[in-house]
Amino acid sequence: KYRADGNLEFMGRADGQVKLRGYRIELGEIEAVVSKYQGVSEGLVVIREDAGNKRLVAYVVPQPEEELETERLKAFLGERLPEYMVPTAYVVMEALPLTPNGKVDHKALPPPGQSETAVDRYVAPRNQTEELVVGIWSEVLGVDKVGVHDDFFELGGHSLMSVKILSRIRALFDVELAVLDIFEQPTVARLVEKIVASRAGSKGPQPPPIVPVPPAEYVPLSYAQQLAWMPGKLPPEDPVNLVPLIFRLEGLLDADALARGLEEMVHRHEALRTTFPLVDGVPVQRIHPTLSVELPVVDLSHLPEDYREAEALAQTEARLGQPFDMAHGPLLRFGLFRLSEHEHVLFLGMHHVLTDFESASVFLGELEALYSAYRDGKPTPLAPVALQYRDYTLWEQQWMQEGGLERLRAYWERKLTPLPEALRLPFDRVPTGDEGFAGASHSFELPTPLSDQVRAFCVKEGLTPFLFMLAVFEAFLSRSSRQEDLLISFTQANRTRAECEKMLGVFANITLLRGDVSGNPSFRELLGRVREGFLEAFEHADMPYVEKARMLEGSSQGLRRSPVQIGFAFPSQSAAAALGFADLVAVPLALPRKEWAPLDLSLSMSQGPRGFVGRFNYRTRLFEPATIQALEAYFQVLVECVIADPEQPLQSLPSLPLFAEHASRTSSPHNSSGTQVAS
């Protein structure tokens, strides 16, 4: 295609380029690497969608008299391709099916799990329990044929899928299993043994099922919604609380079908019709029976072509930047700009108290289904909503009151007592407790060769990139502060029940990880501690953060600042990347929004097209940009060092050059002077 500067940009064959989890992928590039593997005669890579789960599948034909081991092939690809380009399922065939014209017959390709050479390894379910669990795995993983000895992760499983599997097992067998159980028992046969043992053992109180409740004028806030009204947070009416979804839509758009789809979404989901008045000074949910939704269309096609998108984004920013009326609403803002007959900009804005990014992905998936049906003159393809967010809110309140909260509190009291000291990072100004929320961000990208080394290390060690980067971050914090006891916050989806998977509402919860870097461990040893600590925290993550905050407040009397000032994230994909939108091409767009920093310092890592991408968010009253750039360079140095030698003790790693310069500034982290120190 022609770029804005008049030069041509090579995009590859249109029929070989696909989009998966927000990444544009050239299938031919993957196939070229597959063909380099010794023992492969022919290879084909396709994107398949089974049970709503899109993934890359490699179909390979081995050389004559060669026995192809797909585990080694996957490791080979992992060393040479970004993680998002490595197929998660493999089918070994004697030959690829062909059409009469000699082309590959894609319709005749068998689904994963039906590898011709894997027949001998396949073991069918041997009892009713295995049969039921195989059915769960098949549904969640999108694999037609699952053997009882097939490995969960080799079938393409990941942590979010494990949560879905556990929620279905809980509903079916009335037994509580942990995410760690799938990590340690990654086959159906071994997991069934765990289920049988758990059912035979003593069971503690189990949460009741979520059931519909009668309508009421007011419903109390869920724990996740209470976060918006916590002291020390930005006011809920501030537009920074918006979840913005903005797209450039390329293709012939039916604006009436889109507007009708949005109307149906609001009709289907009570969460989108909710406002938050104060009753006796306390915010509550008020669910409106109806809500009129408009999709105003602004025609910008009369403007010069180069100005249209910029003007659409400017008007979008103005619309989304208005404060919210929490009591009366609406808390939704939609708009459409017509740039030309085949190009539009769509924005969908929802307040964070109505939705989180997981719900936004559900919203976009249902909107796409409705749009496609209405455009073709068909009725809604979606089944009626069985449970609403208010049902979940009242269930959560009941369960916590009946003892769930006390059991979780007992764990977190042990974990957070005593509290660690505030980290003495190389601040440019002494923290005082009144830094406010003024923030900035610094983005960076690890070099492609280094990113490839990290992926290969993770494959070899059986790690996720999330756990690797979290371990490096702990080493980074410890070496930057010369402290060994860390407290890191991260956000998890908190959809641990099957009934909540497709529910719209805010579920995301902030949980805490107590990092232990004592005893000068090697990086490999630290990885083990991080994995164990994360899985333990994950199993107790149902504890609402508002309750953790109350515990922290009671334990931190006399401190000027909360001990929770460091955050980490590794998002799998953005909600915006999830939109397929029928036959339209949907390109996510972003606005230059006001920066804010809820914590002193947080790091977000993700997979980019060429390597790992990072983003430091920081409080500008504590850090200068030059300091953050130095911290970013130091983080990269640590990644290089631990990849080169994971056995070296952490204290042998290079120290932060800025530490000596900044040590005097952080010697009194609760000093109230607030004096700026020149750098």
Side-chain angles (χ1 to χ4, degrees):
K1 71 173 183 180
Y2 281 100
R3 298 191 323 203
D5 58 8
N7 292 319
L8 279 171
E9 177 181 357
F10 176 70
M11 301 296 291
R13 286 174 55 101
D15 59 353
Q17 191 178 81
V18 297
K19 191 173 182 182
L20 179 67
R21 299 195 299 272
Y23 298 109
R24 294 191 182 277
I25 297 173
E26 286 285 349
L27 297 177
E29 185 178 345
I30 306 174
E31 292 168 356
V33 180
V34 171
S35 66
K36 293 179 181 178
Y37 184 73
Q38 185 177 4
V40 170
S41 171
E42 193 175 5
L44 175 73
V45 178
V46 301
I47 187 168
R48 288 186 65 103
E49 181 171 3
D50 301 295
N53 176 37
K54 289 184 179 180
R55 57 181 175 159
L56 290 170
V57 179
Y59 294 87
V60 291
V61 178
Q63 295 280 4
E65 300 182 1
E66 286 277 352
E67 184 174 347
L68 194 60
E69 296 186 24
T70 57
E71 295 85 357
R72 292 187 177 182
L73 173 58
K74 184 176 182 180
F76 174 86
L77 298 178
E79 293 173 355
R80 292 160 176 79
L81 293 170
E83 184 184 28
Y84 64 88
M85 292 178 68
V86 177
T88 56
Y90 298 79
V91 180
V92 182
M93 308 183 70
E94 292 183 359
L96 295 176
L98 302 178
T99 66
N101 295 328
K103 295 183 178 181
V104 175
D105 187 354
H106 285 71
K107 294 182 179 179
L109 292 171
Q114 295 185 4
S115 172
E116 296 177 11
T117 64
V119 172
D120 293 338
R121 297 197 301 269
Y122 171 77
V123 177
R126 297 160 296 187
N127 54 57
Q128 186 179 23
T129 305
E130 286 186 347
E131 199 170 304
L132 292 170
V133 175
V134 161
I136 293 173
W137 280 38
S138 179
E139 179 186 0
V140 174
L141 294 169
V143 176
D144 287 343
K145 192 174 183 180
V146 176
V148 297
H149 298 308
D150 292 346
D151 187 276
F152 171 76
F153 298 101
E154 291 178 5
L155 291 174
H158 50 69
S159 57
L160 185 58
M161 286 184 175
S162 70
V163 172
K164 292 182 178 180
I165 284 176
L166 292 180
S167 68
R168 284 163 168 76
I169 288 175
R170 179 190 301 113
L172 187 61
F173 297 104
D174 191 27
V175 63
E176 288 287 339
L177 296 183
V179 173
L180 179 61
D181 291 324
I182 289 187
F183 275 72
E184 295 183 342
Q185 281 83 223
T187 67
V188 169
R190 292 172 60 186
L191 193 61
V192 164
E193 291 177 2
K194 183 69 177 180
I195 292 172
V196 172
S198 298
R199 295 186 74 185
S202 59
K203 294 193 304 179
Q206 301 296 303
I210 303 177
V211 297
V213 296
E217 183 178 7
Y218 299 116
V219 177
L221 299 185
S222 70
Y223 282 103
Q225 289 173 330
Q226 291 177 35
L227 280 172
W229 279 268
M230 276 184 61
K233 292 283 186 181
L234 283 169
E237 62 270 13
D238 194 302
V240 79
N241 290 301
L242 187 87
V243 179
L245 304 171
I246 309 170
F247 305 92
R248 180 173 67 249
L249 302 178
E250 301 171 358
L252 193 60
L253 173 69
D254 186 334
D256 291 336
L258 179 58
R260 188 179 168 197
L262 289 170
E263 289 176 359
E264 176 61 17
M265 287 299 298
V266 174
H267 172 72
R268 283 172 55 80
H269 297 283
E270 290 182 353
L272 303 178
R273 293 184 267 117
T274 303
T275 56
F276 299 86
L278 297 179
V279 176
D280 297 329
V282 177
V284 295
Q285 298 186 67
R286 183 185 179 194
I287 301 164
H288 299 261
T290 61
L291 178 66
S292 176
V293 177
E294 294 183 357
L295 180 66
V297 180
V298 179
D299 192 345
L300 300 178
S301 61
H302 62 283
L303 296 177
E305 185 174 356
D306 292 343
Y307 292 92
R308 295 172 190 169
E309 184 172 302
E311 177 62 20
L313 291 177
Q315 292 192 33
T316 297
E317 185 176 12
R319 283 281 310 279
L320 299 183
Q322 299 297 314
F324 287 97
D325 183 344
M326 302 300 294
H328 302 97
L331 305 182
L332 309 171
R333 294 168 184 174
F334 304 147
L336 184 67
F337 297 92
R338 184 178 187 273
L339 309 187
S340 68
E341 183 181 2
H342 292 86
E343 195 170 27
H344 294 75
V345 169
L346 169 70
F347 73 82
L348 307 168
M350 295 174 278
H351 194 287
H352 219 314
V353 79
L354 302 184
T355 186
D356 52 27
F357 283 98
E358 189 73 22
S359 284
S361 295
V362 175
F363 179 97
L364 293 174
E366 290 194 358
L367 179 61
E368 179 185 357
L370 290 169
Y371 170 81
S372 298
Y374 294 157
R375 179 201 57 186
D376 296 338
K378 299 178 181 178
T380 173
L382 303 177
V385 177
L387 293 169
Q388 297 285 353
Y389 187 71
R390 63 185 168 93
D391 302 321
Y392 165 80
T393 299
L394 296 173
W395 167 86
E396 178 191 48
Q397 186 180 67
Q398 175 191 355
W399 170 234
M400 290 298 169
Q401 290 175 351
E402 290 179 352
L405 185 58
E406 287 305 313
R407 284 183 288 275
L408 290 166
R409 183 181 284 121
Y411 166 81
W412 285 106
E413 283 178 347
R414 292 194 304 271
K415 201 67 180 176
L416 299 177
T417 305
L419 286 174
E421 296 181 12
L423 289 186
R424 297 183 290 275
L425 294 172
F427 298 114
D428 291 292
R429 301 170 186 82
V430 177
T432 63
D434 59 354
E435 285 76 27
F437 298 100
S441 293
H442 171 73
S443 298
F444 62 95
E445 186 172 346
L446 296 184
T448 300
L450 180 58
S451 296
D452 291 343
Q453 288 179 298
V454 171
R455 293 188 188 97
F457 179 83
C458 290
V459 170
K460 180 181 177 183
E461 299 292 326
L463 285 171
T464 62
F466 168 84
L467 289 176
F468 175 88
M469 291 298 178
L470 178 57
V472 176
F473 190 49
E474 286 198 10
F476 164 87
L477 292 172
S478 178
R479 297 293 288 155
S480 301
S481 65
R482 299 195 177 177
Q483 293 167 260
E484 299 177 337
D485 194 359
L486 313 173
L487 194 60
I488 302 171
S489 70
F490 62 92
T491 301
Q492 43 94 223
N494 198 34
R495 291 174 182 255
T496 57
R497 299 191 64 86
E499 306 101 306
C500 300
E501 287 180 12
K502 297 300 182 181
M503 189 182 292
L504 254 62
V506 55
F507 295 85
N509 187 32
I510 300 172
T511 196
L512 303 174
L513 179 67
R514 190 77 177 259
D516 176 15
V517 197
S518 62
N520 192 24
S522 68
F523 181 71
R524 192 184 299 279
E525 184 181 347
L526 178 63
L527 276 170
R529 295 184 188 182
V530 168
R531 178 180 180 272
E532 182 180 348
F534 170 75
L535 291 174
E536 183 182 279
F538 193 89
E539 291 309 317
H540 298 86
D542 286 346
M543 175 76 161
Y545 184 71
V546 291
E547 295 295 335
K548 295 191 194 85
R550 293 186 182 107
M551 293 170 50
L552 292 169
E553 185 179 0
S555 302
S556 57
Q557 292 296 324
L559 299 181
R560 286 182 175 271
R561 312 179 70 239
S562 166
V564 184
Q565 294 297 347
I566 304 297
F568 181 77
F570 199 112
S572 58
Q573 71 177 88
S574 69
L579 185 64
F581 229 80
D583 55 355
L584 299 172
V585 176
V587 181
L589 301 175
L591 293 176
R593 306 184 71 208
K594 180 180 73 173
E595 287 274 11
W596 73 296
L599 302 172
D600 288 353
L601 184 71
S602 60
L603 173 63
S604 175
M605 297 296 299
S606 60
Q607 300 269 13
R610 294 179 298 273
F612 289 101
V613 176
R615 178 175 174 268
F616 278 108
N617 178 258
Y618 61 96
R619 283 180 169 151
T620 52
R621 290 185 65 180
L622 294 178
F623 294 102
E624 291 292 336
T627 302
I628 297 299
Q629 292 172 13
L631 290 174
E632 176 250 303
Y634 181 56
F635 180 83
Q636 181 171 321
V637 166
L638 292 184
V639 174
E640 294 170 349
C641 290
V642 301
I643 283 294
D645 182 9
E647 299 296 345
Q648 63 179 311
L650 293 190
Q651 291 181 15
S652 300
L653 295 172
S655 60
L656 176 65
L658 286 176
F659 183 84
E661 178 184 347
H662 287 269
S664 61
R665 308 177 194 180
T666 59
S667 59
S668 178
H670 304 300
N671 186 304
S672 60
S673 66
T675 305
Q676 178 174 346
V677 183
S679 48

